[in-house]
Amino acid sequence: MRITVEKKKRRLTLTADDGTTLFSCPAALGAAPEGPKGAAGDGRTPEGNYFVCLKKAGKYGPALGVSYPNEEDARRAGAEEALIACIRDRAAKGLRPPWGTALGGEIYIHGGGADRDWTAGCIALSDQDAETLYALVPAGTPITILP
């Protein structure tokens, strides 16, 4: 199973391993949706390959944590090797990366509405779609976020 977010189309799709679409819905992005996320507070939604690093109930209902930043994000931002090594180690263990860095973090797929780009970098769905996706997806599910 895999989650794919197509930023340009504002669409989230959940597919089975054989490519069959299991679920698809509209998605909203960060307030500055063009380009990959590079720093805390830039309002951008990440681009790249991630995984669901945690599941929790949050401010906008059921939420899936996105494992941003990944090693590639950290290298692109010029992060120190110690941080890159920490991100790599945590990813290998299926854990969330450090979120209190200059790269930003705490990127979720959550509810709150998909009618406009409004988040600080998260992927927002309708509340009903967020509940449906949350019920279908286990932690560790791969996430690909495309431009």
Side-chain angles (χ1 to χ4, degrees):
M1 167 177 322
R2 169 177 297 282
I3 296 169
T4 302
V5 176
E6 297 171 274
K7 289 173 60 174
K8 188 172 185 175
K9 293 182 179 181
R10 304 301 194 270
R11 169 110 351 232
L12 178 145
T13 305
L14 177 66
T15 54
D17 291 338
D18 67 2
T20 303
T21 298
L22 302 173
F23 177 76
S24 186
C25 66
L29 306 172
E34 299 296 320
K37 185 163 193 64
D42 66 6
R44 292 187 174 156
T45 299
E47 295 174 2
N49 293 306
Y50 306 95
F51 61 90
V52 175
C53 61
L54 61 88
K55 294 176 70 170
K56 73 173 204 168
K59 180 177 180 181
Y60 299 105
L64 303 173
V66 177
S67 64
Y68 170 87
N70 64 22
E71 186 175 350
E72 183 179 324
D73 297 317
R75 287 194 188 285
R76 184 175 51 248
E80 293 183 12
E81 194 56 43
L83 177 58
I84 293 169
C86 178
I87 291 169
R88 183 185 323 111
D89 181 60
R90 293 182 69 82
K93 295 174 181 172
L95 302 173
R96 76 163 179 81
W99 280 350
T101 73
L103 298 172
E106 293 193 63
I107 301 296
Y108 290 95
I109 300 171
H110 59 65
D115 56 331
R116 62 183 170 78
D117 294 332
W118 61 273
T119 74
C122 294
I123 298 154
L125 313 176
S126 74
D127 292 341
Q128 182 177 349
D129 288 341
E131 289 176 19
T132 299
L133 185 67
Y134 187 90
L136 292 170
V137 174
T141 299
I143 303 168
T144 299
I145 305 174
L146 302 170

PDB file of all heavy atoms in Angstrom, residues 58-85:
ATOM      1  N   GLY A  58      -5.359  14.757  16.459  1.00  0.00           N
ATOM      2  CA  GLY A  58      -4.788  16.087  16.617  1.00  0.00           C
ATOM      3  C   GLY A  58      -5.839  17.166  16.550  1.00  0.00           C
ATOM      4  O   GLY A  58      -7.048  16.894  16.584  1.00  0.00           O
ATOM      5  N   LYS A  59      -5.390  18.378  16.409  1.00  0.00           N
ATOM      6  CA  LYS A  59      -6.261  19.549  16.340  1.00  0.00           C
ATOM      7  C   LYS A  59      -7.289  19.429  15.220  1.00  0.00           C
ATOM      8  O   LYS A  59      -8.412  19.901  15.339  1.00  0.00           O
ATOM      9  CB  LYS A  59      -5.383  20.782  16.132  1.00  0.00           C
ATOM     10  CG  LYS A  59      -6.127  22.082  16.046  1.00  0.00           C
ATOM     11  CD  LYS A  59      -5.162  23.250  15.904  1.00  0.00           C
ATOM     12  CE  LYS A  59      -5.890  24.565  15.804  1.00  0.00           C
ATOM     13  NZ  LYS A  59      -4.955  25.684  15.655  1.00  0.00           N
ATOM     14  N   TYR A  60      -6.878  18.784  14.109  1.00  0.00           N
ATOM     15  CA  TYR A  60      -7.768  18.634  12.953  1.00  0.00           C
ATOM     16  C   TYR A  60      -8.224  17.190  12.775  1.00  0.00           C
ATOM     17  O   TYR A  60      -8.381  16.709  11.667  1.00  0.00           O
ATOM     18  CB  TYR A  60      -7.072  19.148  11.689  1.00  0.00           C
ATOM     19  CG  TYR A  60      -6.718  20.611  11.796  1.00  0.00           C
ATOM     20  CD1 TYR A  60      -5.401  21.010  12.005  1.00  0.00           C
ATOM     21  CD2 TYR A  60      -7.693  21.593  11.711  1.00  0.00           C
ATOM     22  CE1 TYR A  60      -5.072  22.347  12.120  1.00  0.00           C
ATOM     23  CE2 TYR A  60      -7.371  22.935  11.828  1.00  0.00           C
ATOM     24  CZ  TYR A  60      -6.062  23.308  12.034  1.00  0.00           C
ATOM     25  OH  TYR A  60      -5.741  24.637  12.142  1.00  0.00           O
ATOM     26  N   GLY A  61      -8.425  16.478  13.883  1.00  0.00           N
ATOM     27  CA  GLY A  61      -8.919  15.107  13.846  1.00  0.00           C
ATOM     28  C   GLY A  61      -7.796  14.100  13.674  1.00  0.00           C
ATOM     29  O   GLY A  61      -6.638  14.366  13.976  1.00  0.00           O
ATOM     30  N   PRO A  62      -8.149  12.910  13.169  1.00  0.00           N
ATOM     31  CA  PRO A  62      -7.136  11.872  12.991  1.00  0.00           C
ATOM     32  C   PRO A  62      -6.043  12.346  12.042  1.00  0.00           C
ATOM     33  O   PRO A  62      -6.334  12.926  11.004  1.00  0.00           O
ATOM     34  CB  PRO A  62      -7.894  10.693  12.399  1.00  0.00           C
ATOM     35  CG  PRO A  62      -9.303  11.096  12.241  1.00  0.00           C
ATOM     36  CD  PRO A  62      -9.455  12.507  12.689  1.00  0.00           C
ATOM     37  N   ALA A  63      -4.798  12.092  12.422  1.00  0.00           N
ATOM     38  CA  ALA A  63      -3.670  12.622  11.649  1.00  0.00           C
ATOM     39  C   ALA A  63      -2.601  11.557  11.445  1.00  0.00           C
ATOM     40  O   ALA A  63      -2.306  10.769  12.339  1.00  0.00           O
ATOM     41  CB  ALA A  63      -3.074  13.824  12.367  1.00  0.00           C
ATOM     42  N   LEU A  64      -2.018  11.577  10.246  1.00  0.00           N
ATOM     43  CA  LEU A  64      -0.910  10.693   9.896  1.00  0.00           C
ATOM     44  C   LEU A  64       0.349  11.545   9.810  1.00  0.00           C
ATOM     45  O   LEU A  64       0.420  12.480   9.011  1.00  0.00           O
ATOM     46  CB  LEU A  64      -1.161  10.018   8.540  1.00  0.00           C
ATOM     47  CG  LEU A  64      -2.444   9.210   8.400  1.00  0.00           C
ATOM     48  CD1 LEU A  64      -2.621   8.748   6.957  1.00  0.00           C
ATOM     49  CD2 LEU A  64      -2.445   8.032   9.346  1.00  0.00           C
ATOM     50  N   GLY A  65       1.352  11.235  10.624  1.00  0.00           N
ATOM     51  CA  GLY A  65       2.604  11.973  10.598  1.00  0.00           C
ATOM     52  C   GLY A  65       3.429  11.596   9.377  1.00  0.00           C
ATOM     53  O   GLY A  65       3.586  10.420   9.061  1.00  0.00           O
ATOM     54  N   VAL A  66       3.949  12.583   8.677  1.00  0.00           N
ATOM     55  CA  VAL A  66       4.807  12.391   7.502  1.00  0.00           C
ATOM     56  C   VAL A  66       6.259  12.499   7.967  1.00  0.00           C
ATOM     57  O   VAL A  66       6.612  13.436   8.685  1.00  0.00           O
ATOM     58  CB  VAL A  66       4.513  13.462   6.428  1.00  0.00           C
ATOM     59  CG1 VAL A  66       5.447  13.325   5.233  1.00  0.00           C
ATOM     60  CG2 VAL A  66       3.051  13.376   5.985  1.00  0.00           C
ATOM     61  N   SER A  67       7.103  11.581   7.558  1.00  0.00           N
ATOM     62  CA  SER A  67       8.486  11.521   8.037  1.00  0.00           C
ATOM     63  C   SER A  67       9.396  12.575   7.396  1.00  0.00           C
ATOM     64  O   SER A  67      10.525  12.296   7.010  1.00  0.00           O
ATOM     65  CB  SER A  67       9.071  10.125   7.814  1.00  0.00           C
ATOM     66  OG  SER A  67       9.146   9.844   6.423  1.00  0.00           O
ATOM     67  N   TYR A  68       8.914  13.812   7.321  1.00  0.00           N
ATOM     68  CA  TYR A  68       9.722  14.940   6.876  1.00  0.00           C
ATOM     69  C   TYR A  68      10.440  15.524   8.084  1.00  0.00           C
ATOM     70  O   TYR A  68       9.811  15.668   9.124  1.00  0.00           O
ATOM     71  CB  TYR A  68       8.850  16.037   6.242  1.00  0.00           C
ATOM     72  CG  TYR A  68       9.644  17.305   5.992  1.00  0.00           C
ATOM     73  CD1 TYR A  68      10.357  17.463   4.822  1.00  0.00           C
ATOM     74  CD2 TYR A  68       9.720  18.304   6.950  1.00  0.00           C
ATOM     75  CE1 TYR A  68      11.124  18.601   4.602  1.00  0.00           C
ATOM     76  CE2 TYR A  68      10.483  19.437   6.740  1.00  0.00           C
ATOM     77  CZ  TYR A  68      11.181  19.570   5.574  1.00  0.00           C
ATOM     78  OH  TYR A  68      11.958  20.678   5.365  1.00  0.00           O
ATOM     79  N   PRO A  69      11.711  15.877   7.983  1.00  0.00           N
ATOM     80  CA  PRO A  69      12.581  15.834   6.818  1.00  0.00           C
ATOM     81  C   PRO A  69      13.234  14.464   6.642  1.00  0.00           C
ATOM     82  O   PRO A  69      13.532  13.779   7.617  1.00  0.00           O
ATOM     83  CB  PRO A  69      13.644  16.891   7.128  1.00  0.00           C
ATOM     84  CG  PRO A  69      13.751  16.866   8.630  1.00  0.00           C
ATOM     85  CD  PRO A  69      12.357  16.562   9.114  1.00  0.00           C
ATOM     86  N   ASN A  70      13.463  14.094   5.381  1.00  0.00           N
ATOM     87  CA  ASN A  70      14.223  12.878   5.118  1.00  0.00           C
ATOM     88  C   ASN A  70      15.687  13.265   4.870  1.00  0.00           C
ATOM     89  O   ASN A  70      16.052  14.445   4.917  1.00  0.00           O
ATOM     90  CB  ASN A  70      13.619  12.072   3.963  1.00  0.00           C
ATOM     91  CG  ASN A  70      13.653  12.789   2.631  1.00  0.00           C
ATOM     92  OD1 ASN A  70      14.445  13.707   2.402  1.00  0.00           O
ATOM     93  ND2 ASN A  70      12.792  12.379   1.718  1.00  0.00           N
ATOM     94  N   GLU A  71      16.499  12.270   4.606  1.00  0.00           N
ATOM     95  CA  GLU A  71      17.931  12.535   4.414  1.00  0.00           C
ATOM     96  C   GLU A  71      18.174  13.487   3.237  1.00  0.00           C
ATOM     97  O   GLU A  71      19.005  14.395   3.312  1.00  0.00           O
ATOM     98  CB  GLU A  71      18.666  11.211   4.194  1.00  0.00           C
ATOM     99  CG  GLU A  71      20.156  11.347   4.118  1.00  0.00           C
ATOM    100  CD  GLU A  71      20.883  10.018   4.017  1.00  0.00           C
ATOM    101  OE1 GLU A  71      20.271   8.949   4.192  1.00  0.00           O
ATOM    102  OE2 GLU A  71      22.094  10.060   3.741  1.00  0.00           O
ATOM    103  N   GLU A  72      17.440  13.300   2.160  1.00  0.00           N
ATOM    104  CA  GLU A  72      17.603  14.163   0.985  1.00  0.00           C
ATOM    105  C   GLU A  72      17.255  15.614   1.306  1.00  0.00           C
ATOM    106  O   GLU A  72      17.947  16.544   0.879  1.00  0.00           O
ATOM    107  CB  GLU A  72      16.738  13.646  -0.161  1.00  0.00           C
ATOM    108  CG  GLU A  72      16.886  14.418  -1.448  1.00  0.00           C
ATOM    109  CD  GLU A  72      16.027  13.838  -2.564  1.00  0.00           C
ATOM    110  OE1 GLU A  72      15.867  12.604  -2.643  1.00  0.00           O
ATOM    111  OE2 GLU A  72      15.505  14.645  -3.364  1.00  0.00           O
ATOM    112  N   ASP A  73      16.168  15.824   2.066  1.00  0.00           N
ATOM    113  CA  ASP A  73      15.784  17.187   2.461  1.00  0.00           C
ATOM    114  C   ASP A  73      16.906  17.845   3.260  1.00  0.00           C
ATOM    115  O   ASP A  73      17.241  19.009   3.045  1.00  0.00           O
ATOM    116  CB  ASP A  73      14.521  17.164   3.323  1.00  0.00           C
ATOM    117  CG  ASP A  73      13.302  16.636   2.604  1.00  0.00           C
ATOM    118  OD1 ASP A  73      13.083  17.000   1.432  1.00  0.00           O
ATOM    119  OD2 ASP A  73      12.555  15.844   3.221  1.00  0.00           O
ATOM    120  N   ALA A  74      17.469  17.085   4.200  1.00  0.00           N
ATOM    121  CA  ALA A  74      18.517  17.625   5.056  1.00  0.00           C
ATOM    122  C   ALA A  74      19.770  17.974   4.250  1.00  0.00           C
ATOM    123  O   ALA A  74      20.378  19.023   4.460  1.00  0.00           O
ATOM    124  CB  ALA A  74      18.845  16.625   6.164  1.00  0.00           C
ATOM    125  N   ARG A  75      20.143  17.114   3.320  1.00  0.00           N
ATOM    126  CA  ARG A  75      21.320  17.396   2.482  1.00  0.00           C
ATOM    127  C   ARG A  75      21.089  18.635   1.614  1.00  0.00           C
ATOM    128  O   ARG A  75      21.966  19.485   1.488  1.00  0.00           O
ATOM    129  CB  ARG A  75      21.663  16.192   1.619  1.00  0.00           C
ATOM    130  CG  ARG A  75      22.280  15.060   2.402  1.00  0.00           C
ATOM    131  CD  ARG A  75      22.917  14.014   1.490  1.00  0.00           C
ATOM    132  NE  ARG A  75      23.331  12.866   2.261  1.00  0.00           N
ATOM    133  CZ  ARG A  75      24.410  12.824   3.053  1.00  0.00           C
ATOM    134  NH1 ARG A  75      25.169  13.882   3.173  1.00  0.00           N
ATOM    135  NH2 ARG A  75      24.712  11.725   3.714  1.00  0.00           N
ATOM    136  N   ARG A  76      19.893  18.732   1.017  1.00  0.00           N
ATOM    137  CA  ARG A  76      19.578  19.880   0.155  1.00  0.00           C
ATOM    138  C   ARG A  76      19.652  21.195   0.950  1.00  0.00           C
ATOM    139  O   ARG A  76      20.060  22.224   0.428  1.00  0.00           O
ATOM    140  CB  ARG A  76      18.191  19.700  -0.464  1.00  0.00           C
ATOM    141  CG  ARG A  76      17.807  20.797  -1.451  1.00  0.00           C
ATOM    142  CD  ARG A  76      16.490  20.564  -2.168  1.00  0.00           C
ATOM    143  NE  ARG A  76      15.392  20.252  -1.291  1.00  0.00           N
ATOM    144  CZ  ARG A  76      14.777  19.066  -1.228  1.00  0.00           C
ATOM    145  NH1 ARG A  76      15.135  18.069  -2.004  1.00  0.00           N
ATOM    146  NH2 ARG A  76      13.781  18.852  -0.392  1.00  0.00           N
ATOM    147  N   ALA A  77      19.275  21.132   2.230  1.00  0.00           N
ATOM    148  CA  ALA A  77      19.289  22.334   3.070  1.00  0.00           C
ATOM    149  C   ALA A  77      20.658  22.614   3.679  1.00  0.00           C
ATOM    150  O   ALA A  77      20.823  23.606   4.390  1.00  0.00           O
ATOM    151  CB  ALA A  77      18.252  22.176   4.184  1.00  0.00           C
ATOM    152  N   GLY A  78      21.639  21.735   3.430  1.00  0.00           N
ATOM    153  CA  GLY A  78      22.974  21.953   3.967  1.00  0.00           C
ATOM    154  C   GLY A  78      23.092  21.655   5.449  1.00  0.00           C
ATOM    155  O   GLY A  78      23.914  22.252   6.145  1.00  0.00           O
ATOM    156  N   ALA A  79      22.280  20.728   5.946  1.00  0.00           N
ATOM    157  CA  ALA A  79      22.309  20.373   7.368  1.00  0.00           C
ATOM    158  C   ALA A  79      23.642  19.726   7.740  1.00  0.00           C
ATOM    159  O   ALA A  79      24.335  19.160   6.890  1.00  0.00           O
ATOM    160  CB  ALA A  79      21.160  19.417   7.689  1.00  0.00           C
ATOM    161  N   GLU A  80      23.961  19.810   9.015  1.00  0.00           N
ATOM    162  CA  GLU A  80      25.186  19.192   9.520  1.00  0.00           C
ATOM    163  C   GLU A  80      25.081  17.674   9.420  1.00  0.00           C
ATOM    164  O   GLU A  80      23.995  17.096   9.516  1.00  0.00           O
ATOM    165  CB  GLU A  80      25.418  19.606  10.964  1.00  0.00           C
ATOM    166  CG  GLU A  80      25.723  21.081  11.115  1.00  0.00           C
ATOM    167  CD  GLU A  80      26.036  21.467  12.551  1.00  0.00           C
ATOM    168  OE1 GLU A  80      26.246  20.568  13.391  1.00  0.00           O
ATOM    169  OE2 GLU A  80      26.047  22.677  12.821  1.00  0.00           O
ATOM    170  N   GLU A  81      26.239  17.037   9.261  1.00  0.00           N
ATOM    171  CA  GLU A  81      26.287  15.579   9.090  1.00  0.00           C
ATOM    172  C   GLU A  81      25.675  14.840  10.279  1.00  0.00           C
ATOM    173  O   GLU A  81      25.061  13.788  10.103  1.00  0.00           O
ATOM    174  CB  GLU A  81      27.726  15.115   8.848  1.00  0.00           C
ATOM    175  CG  GLU A  81      27.838  13.690   8.344  1.00  0.00           C
ATOM    176  CD  GLU A  81      27.047  13.402   7.068  1.00  0.00           C
ATOM    177  OE1 GLU A  81      27.069  14.220   6.139  1.00  0.00           O
ATOM    178  OE2 GLU A  81      26.391  12.341   7.007  1.00  0.00           O
ATOM    179  N   ALA A  82      25.793  15.389  11.477  1.00  0.00           N
ATOM    180  CA  ALA A  82      25.216  14.731  12.659  1.00  0.00           C
ATOM    181  C   ALA A  82      23.686  14.645  12.542  1.00  0.00           C
ATOM    182  O   ALA A  82      23.091  13.620  12.884  1.00  0.00           O
ATOM    183  CB  ALA A  82      25.613  15.474  13.931  1.00  0.00           C
ATOM    184  N   LEU A  83      23.065  15.705  12.059  1.00  0.00           N
ATOM    185  CA  LEU A  83      21.610  15.691  11.881  1.00  0.00           C
ATOM    186  C   LEU A  83      21.227  14.722  10.769  1.00  0.00           C
ATOM    187  O   LEU A  83      20.263  13.963  10.909  1.00  0.00           O
ATOM    188  CB  LEU A  83      21.077  17.095  11.570  1.00  0.00           C
ATOM    189  CG  LEU A  83      19.575  17.191  11.283  1.00  0.00           C
ATOM    190  CD1 LEU A  83      18.747  16.652  12.449  1.00  0.00           C
ATOM    191  CD2 LEU A  83      19.199  18.636  10.966  1.00  0.00           C
ATOM    192  N   ILE A  84      21.975  14.728   9.688  1.00  0.00           N
ATOM    193  CA  ILE A  84      21.696  13.808   8.578  1.00  0.00           C
ATOM    194  C   ILE A  84      21.796  12.362   9.066  1.00  0.00           C
ATOM    195  O   ILE A  84      20.933  11.533   8.759  1.00  0.00           O
ATOM    196  CB  ILE A  84      22.654  14.076   7.403  1.00  0.00           C
ATOM    197  CG1 ILE A  84      22.355  15.454   6.799  1.00  0.00           C
ATOM    198  CG2 ILE A  84      22.546  12.979   6.345  1.00  0.00           C
ATOM    199  CD1 ILE A  84      23.389  15.949   5.815  1.00  0.00           C
ATOM    200  N   ALA A  85      22.814  12.059   9.854  1.00  0.00           N
ATOM    201  CA  ALA A  85      22.991  10.706  10.391  1.00  0.00           C
ATOM    202  C   ALA A  85      21.833  10.331  11.313  1.00  0.00           C
ATOM    203  O   ALA A  85      21.336   9.195  11.283  1.00  0.00           O
ATOM    204  CB  ALA A  85      24.315  10.595  11.124  1.00  0.00           C
TER     205      ALA A  85
END
